């Protein structure tokens, strides 16, 4: 059964990610004399938690979300949770990863989990790979480089509808806070902190 294959793959990936903190420290150390770059973290998962993953599945299934765009694939942990959701709703996922080596590993993980047919993996700068996106969006997951959150949000905003959700991970980080403060000033959106402020869920006011 596909769900069992997804869960088995996720278990392996979470086990492999247990040394992520050390990899993140090593990545951050490279940026002592310069600004941090995505490549500094090419070996780190930087993934959402299992609890967040279950929350995403519930968000998708409860609201019958089908058209999902994810900014920041990494090795595919969050994408696999999204896949569990769209298996029930009949949806599809577009996911974007800047670093080709990460995208390649994510694609392998999707094949192993039996969900490749649900996921369109795009490699490169999200601003470029999504600039011609024409379909409406039910869920936008922002979990990539924080400096780009606002640009991507604004670029895709015309594809939002009354029931669209924007899921902002790492909302407690400085760059993400700056993005959230901009959105908070727009009266048509409502913001709901989750997981102790690590996540902010944005939706249009009804």
């Amino acid at each position: 059964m596909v769900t069992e294959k997804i869960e088995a793959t996720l278990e392996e990936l979470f086990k492999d990610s247990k040394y992520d903190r050390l990899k993140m420290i090593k990545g951050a150390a490279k940026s002592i004399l310069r600004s941090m770059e995505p490549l500094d973290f090419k070996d780190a998962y930087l993934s959402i938690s299992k609890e967040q993953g279950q929350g995403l599945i519930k968000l998708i299934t409860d609201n019958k979300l089908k058209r999902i765009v994810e900014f920041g694939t990494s090795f595919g942990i969050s994408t696999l949770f999204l896949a569990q959701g769209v298996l029930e709703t009949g949806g599809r996922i577009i996911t974007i990863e800047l670093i080709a080596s990460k995208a390649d590993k994510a694609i392998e993980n999707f094949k192993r989990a039996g969900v490749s047919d649900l996921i369109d993996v795009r490699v490169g700068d999200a601003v470029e790979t999504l600039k011609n996106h024409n379909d409406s969006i039910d869920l936008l997951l922002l979990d990539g480089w924080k400096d780009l959150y606002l640009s991507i949000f604004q670029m895709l905003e015309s594809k939002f509808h009354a029931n669209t959700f924007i899921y902002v991970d790492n909302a407690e980080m400085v760059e993400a806070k700056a993005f959230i403060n901009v959105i908070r000033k727009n009266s048509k959106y409502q913001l709901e902190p989750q997981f102790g402020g690590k996540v902010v869920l944005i939706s249009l006011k009804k």
Side-chain angles (χ1 to χ4, degrees), residues 3-183:
T3 302
E4 290 171 358
K5 288 173 75 175
I6 296 173
E7 289 174 355
T9 305
L10 279 168
E11 201 57 45
E12 287 177 33
L13 296 179
F14 274 116
K15 199 176 292 183
D16 191 44
S17 71
K18 66 181 176 181
Y19 299 112
D20 227 28
R21 188 166 183 79
L22 180 60
K23 292 174 183 174
M24 288 165 67
I25 291 168
K26 285 181 178 177
K30 295 176 185 176
S31 63
I32 290 171
L33 300 175
R34 58 165 173 77
S35 299
M36 282 193 289
E37 300 172 2
L39 273 171
D40 294 334
F41 304 97
K42 65 181 178 64
D43 298 317
Y45 278 80
L46 308 172
S47 73
I48 64 171
S49 67
K50 290 180 181 179
E51 292 75 21
Q52 283 179 264
Q54 292 302 321
L56 279 168
I57 294 170
K58 189 174 190 310
L59 180 69
I60 292 167
T61 55
D62 285 356
N63 296 281
K64 299 179 174 57
L65 308 180
K66 294 185 177 183
R67 292 158 298 203
I68 297 174
V69 175
E70 177 185 39
F71 167 52
T73 317
S74 190
F75 296 123
I77 285 179
S78 52
T79 325
L80 287 171
F81 281 113
L82 297 174
Q84 279 188 284
V86 299
L87 270 173
E88 294 192 38
T89 64
R92 284 187 57 80
I93 303 157
I94 295 170
T95 186
I96 296 91
E97 175 54 50
L98 178 65
I99 300 169
S101 61
K102 278 191 160 185
D104 289 342
K105 287 183 181 177
I107 289 167
E108 287 176 21
N109 293 331
F110 302 153
K111 285 179 182 172
R112 196 159 78 247
V115 291
S116 296
D117 58 325
L118 303 176
I119 304 165
D120 174 7
V121 181
R122 300 183 185 179
V123 184
D125 183 338
V127 175
E128 288 300 312
T129 57
L130 287 171
K131 69 180 179 183
N132 295 317
H133 184 81
N134 291 317
D135 294 333
S136 63
I137 296 171
D138 297 338
L139 172 63
L140 172 62
L141 173 56
L142 296 174
D143 191 19
W145 207 242
K146 312 301 171 275
D147 289 344
L148 293 178
Y149 279 11
L150 183 59
S151 298
I152 291 168
F153 183 97
Q154 291 174 335
M155 183 176 67
L156 298 175
E157 193 171 11
S158 64
K159 310 306 175 190
F160 300 164
H161 54 79
N163 298 311
T164 296
F165 293 93
I166 300 92
Y167 186 101
V168 185
D169 192 32
N170 302 122
E172 78 280 23
M173 293 179 69
V174 173
E175 300 88 344
K177 280 183 177 178
F179 158 70
I180 289 163
N181 285 335
V182 172
I183 306 305

